[in-house]
Each structure stands twice: as structure tokens, then as C-alpha cells.
Amino acid sequence: MSPSRARPSLLRIALLTAATLACFAANSLLCRAALGPRRADPATFTLVRIASGAVVLALVLAARRARPAGGTLGSALALFVYAAAFSLAYVRIGAGVGALLLFAAVQVTMLGWSAVRGVRPRPLQVLGVGVALAGLTWLAAPGASAPDPRGAALMLAAGAAWGVYSLRGRAAGDPLATTAHNFLLSVPLAVALGVAYARGASASPAGVALAVASGALASGGGYSLWYAVVPALGATRAAAVQLAVPVLAGAGATVFLGEQLTARVGVAAVAILAGIAVTLRR
């Protein structure tokens, strides 16, 4: 392939990756905006989010005269665990801190799996991961400004599940059809969660609207884009670039949600982003 033809492909990957990361950051802000002020309970938010994403993706496929296909029960389970733990965590912690915890766990999961499969990280990648983990450790350490322990644990679980979902997406032939199928397969799990938490169910019109926006736009669209770019990025870069999301989410949370940027969060963000930079070096 000539260089003139290779450049548009690289530009396309960069643009798709940027759009995907923006969707990921939007999810943190939408979820926190709904759950922080109690506009919706976590189970209802998760159900509406997954169901609206499934409906919109199915309609888009119908317009293309296609149908959901290529998903698996394993991927659907990973998607559900991520979405449920994500919502339950955001009742307890802020959007910026949550995004830091989430995507640090994603990186560890994806790089760890690559190492288990025999793809040994380069020394610089090991150093980058170590720096990022040091930032995560500093953020989660006990102290006056440390996040709620249960909320932090739930967000780390959500990150591990998202890492699994990302790894499974590397084999997706049609990202849109596969994402739609995974969403549809996870709807019964979300319904079961809603039933389990039925006694505490509550949702205002604003909370439902935020959940629909999260599911239909930030999740359905963002995850389809992600399944399209993961094969091009590879596991290492896919894990690393996602750690840019906390910066976007933290800035958005400060501007739109009025969250305070503490010194602890600032130091952790610098360490994690430095880890990304080192990991991505050739």
C-alpha cells in the first residue's frame, strides 16, 4: 500500500478513536448526572440504558436491511457486569474519580490478558503500566480525599468487565451488528437486575432522559465505534488510549457537574497519563 493511501486510513482510525473516547467520557457524565442527584436508581438507569441502546442499534441495522448478529453470551455478560457495576459505583463516587478507576482497571485487564496469552510487553510498556498503577494506588489509598471504598471496588470491577468486553471485540466482523446483538442479549440480565431492586426503583423524567442518552448515543454509538477501532489499535494501545478518558471526564465533571478537582485526583491523573505516554512510545 502506498503512503498516500495509508494516511487516510490512519486519519480515520484517529478520528474514530477520538469520537469513541468522547462517548466514553459522556457516559461517565450522563450516569453521574442521573445518579448523583438521585434522578434515577442504579438498576433502573442500567435497564433503560441497555434497552435504549439495543432498540436504537436494532433500528439502525433495520434501516441497513441487516439484523443483530455476531454477539455472544460471554460478551453480553461482560457488557452487563460493566454497566451494572458502573451504575452502582456512581451513586458513591464522582465522575472524574470514577473514570480514573474504571480505565486504570481496563488497562490492567487488557495488558494482563495479553501477557497471559504470551504477548510479552516491552520494558517501556511495563514501566508505563507501573507508573499508571502508582497513580491508581495513590488515588485509592485511605485518606481524607480518598473515594468511597465500596464505590471504588465496584468501579474497578466495571473496568475489568469492560476490559474483557474490549478483548472479545477484536474478532467482531461487523461492529454495529455485533454490538447490537450483545446489547439485545444483555437486556434480560438488566431486567433481572431491575426486578431484584424493584423496591428501591425510582426515576424522574430527567433521569430516564439521561439514561436514554447514555444508552442510545454514548453507549450504542460509542461501543460500535470501539469495536471498529480495537482491531486496528491492538490490545496494548487500545488499553492505553482509554486512559485519556478520565481527563475528558474530569474536565467535564468540573465544568458541567460542579465537582471539585482535588490535589489527590490531580496527582493521580498526571501519573496515569504519564503512564499512557510511556506505554504508547515505540
Side-chain angles (χ1 to χ4, degrees), residues 202-225:
S202 63
S204 67
V208 172
L210 289 167
V212 170
S214 175
L217 301 176
S219 298
Y223 300 173
S224 297
L225 291 174

Side-chain angles (χ1 to χ4, degrees), residues 43-80:
T44 301
F45 184 92
T46 301
L47 174 57
V48 174
R49 178 186 178 186
I50 289 178
S52 60
V55 170
V56 169
L57 289 170
L59 290 174
V60 171
L61 285 172
R64 287 174 39 184
R65 297 185 178 180
R67 62 181 183 178
T72 64
L73 290 175
S75 294
L77 179 60
L79 175 62
F80 166 73

Side-chain angles (χ1 to χ4, degrees), residues 46-47 50-51 54 73 76-77 80 181-196:
T46 301
L47 174 57
I50 289 178
L73 290 175
L77 179 60
F80 166 73
H181 198 192
N182 286 331
F183 264 78
L184 286 170
L185 290 173
S186 64
V187 168
L189 297 172
V191 171
L193 179 69
V195 171

